[in-house]
């Protein structure tokens, strides 16, 4: 089933389809006015944001890249342009492919994308004809003569897709001016990004948040305080949010409390990574990957995801635990892991629920297997319980609660058969009764110790 993307969304191709190396990428459009000459092209960029040579601009007069990884296909259909891409053949100097559609001589002819609709970009597996992801551009364009549909880029050794939908009024020449410079030195294969580069990107992201999403910017600053306390100021991690969407959670979604909680976790993700995105998973009886919540699409993301969720009733943890493991460590495929798996970057999962699971044994088994992987589970329960308890930090909180309703989650800290302790738990009666700063402090209660242990036991560098 194809993944439908909206503007700003990101999709990790390598994680979701680890064995797919050949891709067919199609850009399409419909002209509502005759006489338009429209072309699809691709700029293959190096780490410096430029094409390393003119041959890495793939268009009608240069249909194949010099590394033989990208080919522009002849397409007899009106309003379509297709490309074949072999990820395994991409030159190591290439880190990004930008897919653009332009109107030939649009400026001179006073033509624009105001007369173009039904634009889309689709990524498929050519061997199975399965469509993997689709981005339909829904924005209204007026004077634009060029559109940047999306980009496929490499990060952390993985290939990802970013839906852009950005319009420009400078035609193809604007892209040539941006991505090609005469006499530019071809880039060397990119080394791992140094800490200074990561920090520069983080500062750039913060500036964007301050200007475009001030509420998120404020949350990022609060998260930063907690990370400083935990000596994790420059820490890097992938962040996922796993949300219980069973019927008993309905009022929390309807009131917007889960949306606001997700925004707080997105802010943490902005501090742990510079791509401004976190993965969202929903679960009840089964689990569903809802894609990435980003600084561009976070408004009402959770409400839309809830409406798109297609699952069975009940509350089962194990499908969600397995789905997340499969996403970040696809070689496991949810299986029985009994030897350590090392990765450069850990995964931090915020797991939110309001009840005990029906599948206790399979859930415990997934947690045991995942303890051999660099993945940390922060469980948060929502609801009333029979007694009050204190957080492990000791003081924050008369609003923290525990008791028999969440006994299963409480007992995970003592679960036997694990390589290392890979989980923490706290509960709140109301997710908005806890101050933002206190929430971030709680999220860092056991995680720093887990990082040290994971490093000592060979899960992290």
């Amino acid at each position: 089933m194809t993944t439908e993307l909206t503007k700003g969304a990101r999709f990790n191709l390598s994680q979701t389809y680890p064995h797919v190396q050949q891709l067919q990428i199609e850009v399409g459009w419909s002209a509502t006015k005759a006489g338009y000459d429209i072309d699809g092209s691709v700029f293959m960029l190096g780490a410096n944001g430029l094409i390393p040579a003119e041959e890495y601009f793939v268009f009608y007069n240069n249909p194949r890249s010099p590394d033989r990884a990208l080919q522009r296909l002849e397409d007899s259909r009106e309003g379509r342009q297709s490309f074949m891409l072999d990820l395994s053949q991409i030159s190591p100097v290439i880190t990004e492919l930008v897919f653009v559609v332009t109107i030939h001589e649009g400026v001179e002819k006073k033509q624009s994308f105001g007369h173009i609709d039904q634009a889309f970009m689709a990524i498929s597996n050519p061997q199975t004809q399965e469509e993997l992801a689709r981005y339909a551009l829904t924005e209204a364009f007026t004077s634009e003569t060029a559109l940047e549909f999306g980009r496929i880029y490499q990060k952390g050794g993985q290939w990802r897709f970013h839906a852009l939908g950005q319009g420009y009024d400078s035609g193809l020449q604007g892209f040539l001016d941006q991505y090609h410079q005469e006499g530019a030195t071809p880039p060397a294969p990119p080394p791992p990004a140094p800490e200074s580069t990561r920090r520069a990107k983080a500062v750039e992201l913060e500036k964007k948040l301050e200007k475009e999403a001030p509420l998120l910017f404020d949350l990022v600053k609060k998260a930063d305080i907690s990370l400083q306390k935990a000596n994790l100021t420059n820490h890097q991690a992938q962040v996922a949010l796993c949300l219980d969407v069973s019927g008993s959670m309905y009022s929390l979604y309807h009131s917007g409390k889960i949306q606001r909680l997700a925004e707080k976790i997105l802010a943490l993700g902005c501090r742990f990574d510079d791509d401004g995105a976190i993965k969202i998973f929903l679960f009840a009886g089964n689990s569903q990957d809802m894609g990435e919540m980003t600084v561009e699409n976070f408004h009402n993301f959770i409400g839309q995801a809830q409406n798109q969720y297609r699952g069975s009733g009940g509350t089962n943890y194990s499908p969600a635990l397995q789905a997340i493991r499969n996403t970040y460590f696809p070689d496991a495929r949810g299986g029985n892991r009994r030897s350590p798996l090392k990765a450069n970057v850990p995964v931090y999962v915020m797991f939110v629920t309001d009840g005990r699971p029906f599948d206790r044994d399979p859930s415990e088994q997934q947690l045991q297997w995942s303890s051999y992987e660099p993945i940390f589970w922060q469980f948060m329960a929502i609801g009333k319980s029979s007694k009050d308890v204190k957080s492990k930090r000791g003081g924050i909180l008369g609003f923290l609660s525990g008791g028999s309703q969440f006994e299963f989650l409480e007992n995970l800290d003592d679960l036997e058969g694990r390589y290392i302790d890979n989980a923490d738990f706290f509960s709140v009666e109301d997710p908005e009764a806890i101050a933002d700063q206190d929430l971030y402090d709680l999220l860092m209660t056991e995680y720093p110790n887990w990082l040290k242990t994971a490093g000592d036991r060979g899960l992290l560098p």
Side-chain angles (χ1 to χ4, degrees):
M1 183 176 67
T2 186
T3 298
E4 300 284 350
L5 303 173
T6 57
K7 183 174 182 177
R10 292 178 173 85
F11 182 73
N12 194 318
L13 290 161
S14 296
Q15 282 186 352
T16 309
Y17 299 100
H19 304 298
V20 177
Q21 293 295 309
Q22 284 75 40
L23 300 172
Q24 180 169 345
I25 297 98
E26 182 180 54
V27 291
W29 58 88
S30 176
T32 60
K33 196 172 182 178
Y36 277 58
D37 186 2
I38 303 176
D39 292 310
S41 310
V42 182
F43 291 87
M44 302 178 70
L45 310 180
N48 60 357
L50 302 173
I51 55 174
E54 290 185 357
E55 291 79 11
Y56 282 98
F57 170 42
V58 176
F59 67 118
Y60 63 87
N61 208 30
N62 178 45
R64 188 185 292 271
S65 62
D67 57 7
R68 317 299 287 179
L70 182 69
Q71 180 181 0
R72 184 181 189 269
L73 303 180
E74 292 293 335
D75 206 324
S76 60
R77 294 172 297 171
E78 186 73 20
R80 296 287 188 275
Q81 181 57 62
S82 297
F83 301 85
M84 293 296 295
L85 175 64
D86 188 338
L87 298 175
S88 66
Q89 295 296 315
I90 295 180
S91 167
V93 305
I94 299 299
T95 62
E96 181 177 356
L97 294 87
V98 180
F99 292 78
V100 305
V101 173
T102 56
I103 302 173
H104 181 59
E105 296 182 343
V107 177
E108 294 81 356
K109 296 178 182 179
K110 296 183 179 181
Q111 297 175 338
S112 74
F113 278 99
H115 293 286
I116 303 298
D117 59 15
Q118 299 179 31
F120 71 91
M121 181 172 175
I123 302 175
S124 303
N125 181 345
Q127 295 180 345
T128 64
Q129 302 301 310
E130 175 190 8
E131 187 173 273
L132 310 180
R134 171 176 286 261
Y135 167 44
L137 286 72
T138 58
E139 296 76 23
F141 298 102
T142 55
S143 63
E144 292 85 350
T145 56
L147 288 181
E148 201 168 13
F149 275 45
R151 64 185 183 119
I152 293 176
Y153 65 102
Q154 189 179 55
K155 181 175 181 179
Q158 297 180 328
W159 288 101
R160 309 172 183 221
F161 172 67
H162 185 190
L164 291 171
Q166 182 66 49
Y168 302 90
D169 58 9
S170 52
L172 179 61
Q173 188 61 49
F175 291 126
L176 292 171
D177 293 341
Q178 179 179 355
Y179 297 131
H180 175 247
Q181 292 182 10
E182 293 291 342
T185 302
E195 183 56 42
S196 59
T197 302
R198 279 199 63 242
R199 186 56 193 161
K201 290 183 178 180
V203 170
E204 182 180 347
L205 176 60
E206 287 186 7
K207 289 180 179 179
K208 179 177 181 179
L209 290 172
E210 185 175 17
K211 180 180 179 181
E212 301 178 10
L215 291 178
L216 271 183
F217 178 74
D218 180 63
L219 290 171
V220 168
K221 290 302 181 185
K222 292 177 180 178
D224 197 42
I225 293 172
S226 296
L227 294 180
Q228 290 178 24
K229 295 178 185 177
N231 294 318
L232 295 177
T233 301
N234 297 316
H235 178 63
Q236 184 178 10
Q238 300 183 82
V239 177
L241 176 60
C242 187
L243 297 168
D244 185 343
V245 73
S246 57
S248 56
M249 292 279 290
Y250 174 79
S251 63
L252 294 168
Y253 284 90
H254 183 69
S255 65
K257 293 181 178 181
I258 299 300
Q259 168 68 30
R260 290 187 286 274
L261 175 63
E263 292 170 6
K264 297 172 186 179
I265 305 305
L266 174 59
L268 178 65
C270 289
R271 284 297 290 112
F272 274 171
D273 205 346
D274 55 38
D275 63 357
I278 61 173
K279 288 281 290 181
I280 301 293
F281 296 83
L282 299 185
F283 75 94
N286 59 0
S287 175
Q288 187 172 337
D289 182 346
M290 308 309 299
E292 289 188 326
M293 180 177 177
T294 72
V295 297
E296 294 92 355
N297 70 3
F298 74 91
H299 297 287
N300 197 34
F301 183 96
I302 298 301
Q304 295 174 359
Q306 183 192 18
N307 291 334
Q308 295 169 6
Y309 174 75
R310 298 292 180 267
S312 57
T315 303
N316 294 321
Y317 292 177
S318 63
L321 297 171
Q322 178 177 331
I324 294 172
R325 291 183 61 219
N326 290 351
T327 295
Y328 292 102
F329 310 109
D331 65 304
R333 305 312 302 170
N336 181 350
R337 187 185 293 282
R338 292 297 182 184
S339 60
L341 174 69
K342 187 174 184 178
N344 291 326
V345 178
V347 180
Y348 184 102
V349 181
M350 180 73 172
F351 193 105
V352 181
T353 182
D354 72 339
R356 62 174 67 88
F358 295 132
D359 59 340
R360 296 171 64 109
D361 290 345
S363 297
E364 290 181 349
Q365 193 171 61
Q366 287 292 330
L367 199 67
Q368 290 167 339
W369 291 338
S370 71
S371 70
Y372 292 88
E373 299 161 350
I375 183 168
F376 179 82
W377 306 91
Q378 178 61 67
F379 292 96
M380 171 180 163
I382 301 176
K384 295 181 179 181
S385 58
S386 61
K387 62 179 181 179
D388 292 332
V389 298
K390 292 183 178 180
S391 77
K392 292 178 183 177
R393 264 195 192 279
I396 306 176
L397 313 169
F399 50 74
L400 286 183
S401 57
S404 59
Q405 181 181 356
F406 304 126
E407 180 183 3
F408 175 75
L409 290 172
E410 292 175 13
N411 290 338
L412 291 180
D413 271 343
D414 301 319
L415 182 64
E416 297 180 353
R418 288 182 294 169
Y419 184 61
I420 61 173
D421 183 351
N422 60 340
D424 188 24
F425 163 74
F426 67 89
S427 65
V428 296
E429 184 173 329
D430 185 330
E432 295 196 342
I434 179 172
D436 297 338
Q437 195 64 69
D438 289 337
L439 175 64
Y440 288 125
D441 284 348
L442 280 169
L443 298 181
M444 293 300 109
T445 300
E446 286 199 7
Y447 183 61
N449 291 333
W450 174 84
L451 286 172
K452 182 180 184 306
T453 305
D456 292 342
R457 300 296 298 274
L459 301 181
L460 293 170

